[in-house]
Amino acid sequence: MYELRCIECRERYAPEEIIFTCKKCNGLLEVWMNLSEIEVKREELEKRMFGVWRYREFLPVGKKTKIITLQEGGTPLYKAENLSKELGVELYIKNEGANPTGSFKDRGMTLGVTKAIELKAKAVGCASTGNTSASLAAYAAKAGIKCFVLLPAGKIALGKLAQAILHGAVVIGIRGNFDVALKLIREASQKFNIYLLNSINPWRLEGQKTEAYEIIDQLVFEVPDRVVVPVGNCGNISAIWKGFKEFYEYGFINELPIMTGIQAEKASPVVKAFKEGKDKISPIEKPETIATAIRIGKPVNAPKALRAIRESRGYAESCTDEEIIEAQKLLARKEGIGVEPASATSIAGVIKLIDEGIIDKGERVVCITTGHALKDPEIVFSRYEKPIEIEPDIEALSSIITK
Ligand code: AN7
């Protein structure tokens, strides 16, 4: 049994209702699952294919529902041995770039688009800084349903834009930022019966909570000290925390990790609210960062993220664009893991928090890297060394090799 509940006033709503905020108090909604009805053993889970649907009993879809899946999840958890030595912590990387469309959004979309079909929606839509649109476009294609995506014009990394076009979404550039685009699609989704699949949709987050389940699985049911997550619209960190809490409540684990959210300096309303001890963020009207995925000034799920951070006795910090690029380079060149700038904020955050004494030596830290490096090739061309071009003779080549 599952239903929707308001996180503020606890009002309940039936799962069939298409609703994204509480009718009484306008609070955010979350899916409540009756975990006491679930009966599944660890050994049973371990027999199944590794990925989102391994945890079928914990996912709120009807028993007979047809699942729209691209075999998402099941991403690697790397032990970052070189960086661990350098930083003095036990560092793991949960590489969400290894998902079908190259980001963690796929976990949400398998659930969200399955729900859309269950609710007999004829079209789906989202606003996006890029990855959400790429993912939704692919899952809508698989489901055979129409897809509208609204993107801040000129501010989308090239790979993501290409994916949305490739998978046949109706791609609409908005002359404004993500926050403006989200407001517009929320209005349009009501007016035109488009099923909204931004992370304000609580069903989508149910797919993303499997990031936590998988980390526990991969650490052989041990709990890391800390999980570090790049934060934009605040859906993912909230979903991951919910996943850990559910495995705790179910009895699979008996402790919880510290949640740590990292934002880009000029798009960091959550960090500001956290440091000022506030429950609500003050929106940033003109967020700016090279990490375009998290160029968000009014994160809709901020109340959930702030709770996740507080409940877990966690922390929030921001990093500059320079620190983000340095971290991206470090991960690429010390560990062979290519991630997009937004993802590198988690590494940049760890480095900063070690310096600040927030992260202790020897801590077991899991960084979520949310999207693949190929999403944003332009950043590499503009911020890294240029390739060398020479005449095809051995003299010219020698001078480079022996330099
Ligand atoms: C690579 O695609 O918001 O805090 O519209 O693409 O759950 O928003 C992307 C977000 C981190 C932040 N890393 O996650 C979108 C969008 C990457 C991302 C985030 C995003 P949330």
Side-chain angles (χ1 to χ4, degrees):
M1 200 279 273
Y2 48 84
E3 62 187 17
L4 292 168
R5 287 190 182 175
C6 173
I7 69 162
E8 307 292 346
C9 73
R10 306 313 293 175
E11 181 70 7
R12 301 159 164 204
Y13 298 93
E16 298 77 33
E17 202 160 342
I18 299 183
I19 180 172
F20 301 110
T21 48
C22 179
K23 283 186 214 163
K24 276 195 167 163
C25 76
N26 211 30
L28 294 168
L29 302 178
E30 69 178 4
V31 177
W32 176 84
M33 293 206 60
N34 189 351
L35 297 178
S36 67
E37 284 175 357
I38 300 174
E39 252 181 82
V40 66
K41 292 213 171 67
R42 191 177 141 180
E43 296 72 38
E44 171 58 30
L45 291 180
E46 282 167 350
K47 282 187 209 147
R48 303 177 190 167
M49 190 176 80
F50 188 42
V52 168
W53 295 98
R54 169 178 279 195
Y55 313 98
R56 181 74 165 80
E57 290 87 348
F58 293 85
L59 299 174
V61 293
K63 287 207 168 63
K64 290 185 186 146
T65 297
K66 179 178 156 50
I67 308 292
I68 308 297
T69 175
L70 293 167
Q71 296 182 23
E72 50 290 313
T75 56
L77 180 74
Y78 297 112
K79 185 157 189 196
E81 284 171 338
N82 300 325
L83 280 183
S84 292
K85 269 198 204 113
E86 213 168 295
L87 300 173
V89 294
E90 193 183 333
L91 183 69
Y92 290 83
I93 307 293
K94 179 69 172 159
N95 192 24
E96 288 297 290
N99 272 295
T101 77
S103 85
F104 69 96
K105 306 285 179 178
D106 295 344
R107 295 179 188 271
M109 291 310 172
T110 184
L111 213 300
V113 174
T114 294
K115 196 50 76 176
I117 300 296
E118 201 177 59
L119 294 167
K120 302 195 167 47
K122 297 281 179 292
V124 289
C126 69
S128 179
T129 58
N131 281 323
T132 296
S133 66
S135 182
L136 183 56
Y139 283 83
K142 176 83 178 175
I145 187 171
K146 197 151 188 185
C147 175
F148 298 93
V149 304
L150 271 56
L151 310 172
K155 290 287 187 180
I156 299 297
L158 218 53
K160 305 173 189 179
L161 183 59
Q163 287 177 293
I165 297 168
L166 176 67
H167 292 297
V170 180
V171 178
I172 306 156
I174 301 295
R175 298 185 192 109
N177 63 27
F178 169 82
D179 306 298
V180 175
L182 181 56
K183 188 161 175 275
L184 191 59
I185 189 71
R186 282 179 80 171
E187 197 182 325
S189 66
Q190 289 202 325
K191 200 162 173 188
F192 300 105
N193 232 345
I194 296 168
Y195 189 67
L196 183 67
L197 274 165
N198 280 99
S199 57
I200 186 96
N201 182 321
W203 303 104
R204 216 192 88 183
L205 298 183
E206 291 299 296
Q208 289 173 216
K209 75 187 181 186
T210 58
E211 283 166 80
Y213 296 171
E214 288 188 6
I215 290 169
I216 295 300
D217 233 340
Q218 285 167 305
L219 293 176
V220 204
F221 286 73
E222 281 185 19
V223 182
D225 297 311
R226 185 183 297 270
V227 177
V228 185
V229 190
V231 170
N233 216 15
C234 296
N236 206 36
I237 192 168
S238 317
I240 294 171
W241 178 236
K242 186 170 192 279
F244 282 121
K245 280 199 301 188
E246 286 176 351
F247 261 24
Y248 180 85
E249 197 184 324
Y250 187 71
F252 275 151
I253 52 176
N254 47 27
E255 50 190 340
L256 288 163
I258 296 169
M259 301 301 293
T260 303
I262 313 293
Q263 295 197 294
E265 194 169 54
K266 293 193 175 126
S268 57
V270 175
V271 176
K272 191 162 181 286
F274 171 76
K275 290 192 171 174
E276 291 172 357
K278 296 196 174 129
D279 295 335
K280 284 211 174 86
I281 57 134
S282 310
I284 292 172
E285 291 305 324
K286 291 203 171 80
E288 216 35 270
T289 169
I290 48 145
T292 51
I294 51 172
R295 188 173 164 272
I296 295 173
K298 292 181 202 169
V300 290
N301 287 306
K304 285 186 180 177
L306 284 164
R307 278 175 203 205
I309 293 168
R310 294 233 166 83
E311 278 174 24
S312 69
R313 278 172 265 135
Y315 203 75
E317 188 52 278
S318 64
C319 295
T320 65
D321 283 357
E322 286 66 37
E323 289 166 340
I324 292 169
I325 295 294
E326 275 314 303
Q328 182 192 39
K329 189 184 280 179
L330 205 59
L331 194 56
R333 296 184 179 185
K334 296 276 181 189
E335 297 293 343
I337 303 170
V339 304
E340 66 168 286
S343 309
T345 57
S346 58
I347 312 298
V350 166
I351 295 170
K352 198 164 210 169
L353 294 178
I354 291 172
D355 276 353
E356 290 174 3
I358 301 284
I359 295 183
D360 295 331
K361 290 281 168 200
E363 261 190 40
R364 185 186 259 194
V365 180
V366 176
C367 279
I368 311 282
T369 54
T370 41
H372 199 284
L374 289 174
K375 293 279 189 174
D376 193 354
E378 282 173 306
I379 221 65
V380 179
F381 297 129
S382 64
R383 296 275 185 145
Y384 286 72
E385 307 89 343
K386 301 279 175 284
I388 305 163
E389 188 177 313
I390 59 166
E391 292 303 326
D393 62 59
I394 194 72
E395 298 298 305
L397 185 56
S398 314
S399 74
I400 290 160
I401 293 172
T402 56
K403 196 153 72 182

